[in-house]
Amino acid sequence: MIRLILIAVFLILYLILSIPILAAEWLIARKFQYAADISRLRMVQWAFKVILFLSGTHLTVIGEENVPVDQAVLYVGNHRSFFDIVITYARCPRLTGYIAKASMKNVPLLSLWMKRLYCLFLDRDNIKEGLKTILIGIDQIKRGISMCIFPEGTRGQGIDEMDMPPFKEGSLKMAEKTGCPIIPMALTGTADIFENHLPWIRSAHVILEYGKPIYPKELSREEQKRLGNYTQKKILEMLKQSSALPRS
């Protein structure tokens, strides 16, 4: 109970107190766009680290050396919890936008922050609008901004973390069209923080593993054709390995 209250209070205060900061950074961005972008990135990463501390999350990170720091990438991960975003974004080494569901656009202040952080809102029920969103993501990667997507289309609800619906192939178009490396991410234990015992937040041990970069152009024609399936298999392999690790 106390963890939930602390996080809720922190989030509300952060969003309210950040209003003048957002205004100031909007002015700064008119002349110094990159400086404003990095400032926002670090501010939100700090806030997410505070949330992880308040939630009592213990994080083990594996394979972080696989993440290039000198080029934009497409992060692709399994999705079990709201905390997947908190955990992964807090560790992004460079500007990164996330693909979020369209309904997030209607959340006051939070959606404003997300837009400033190059996040995109994907309407999966509207093919035309969805394509526009992916095209914007492609453009952002070409501009050096990494993107992150959870291709299951929704958070997994089953007990078994390896029981994932097939990845949506269209989600990987951003890597196909830009040639940027795909960084597979395997998240284990994130639902233990919140979703497995709603509405309470409890201390949990989470494992985040980054796989080796996948370069679409280096794959066979058949693997390129089913890039989502290929990437999902890599994530499943990491999840199997993580399940064997002790999580006390």
Side-chain angles (χ1 to χ4, degrees), residues 58-68 75-76 87-88 91 183-189 205-213 234-235 237-247:
H58 304 283
L59 180 63
T60 296
V61 181
I62 302 171
E64 199 161 24
E65 68 277 4
N66 290 322
V67 181
Y75 295 99
V76 177
I87 290 166
T88 56
R91 307 197 70 84
I183 305 299
M185 302 185 300
L187 289 143
T188 304
H205 182 190
V206 172
I207 299 174
L208 166 60
E209 182 172 1
Y210 296 97
K212 292 183 178 180
K234 295 296 182 182
I235 293 173
E237 290 173 4
M238 291 190 289
L239 288 173
K240 288 178 182 177
Q241 293 174 355
S242 296
S243 64
L245 297 176
R247 290 197 299 123

Side-chain angles (χ1 to χ4, degrees), residues 4 6 9 25 41 55 79-80 85-86 92 99-101 103 115 129 152 154 168 180-182 195 198 204 227 229 241:
L4 179 63
L6 288 173
V9 170
E25 290 198 339
L41 171 68
S55 68
H79 197 19
R80 298 277 299 178
I85 294 94
V86 176
C92 292
I99 302 293
K101 57 185 179 180
S103 60
K115 291 176 183 176
E129 291 302 315
E152 295 167 74
T154 185
K168 299 182 183 301
C180 78
I182 297 169
E195 281 75 7
L198 294 170
L227 188 55
N229 179 262
Q241 293 174 355

Side-chain angles (χ1 to χ4, degrees), residues 168-210:
K168 299 182 183 301
E169 293 293 338
S171 302
L172 282 295
K173 289 293 182 184
M174 289 181 284
E176 289 181 43
K177 297 300 183 181
T178 62
C180 78
I182 297 169
I183 305 299
M185 302 185 300
L187 289 143
T188 304
T190 53
D192 293 336
I193 304 173
F194 183 53
E195 281 75 7
N196 285 349
H197 37 71
L198 294 170
W200 314 121
I201 292 176
R202 294 177 182 171
S203 176
H205 182 190
V206 172
I207 299 174
L208 166 60
E209 182 172 1
Y210 296 97

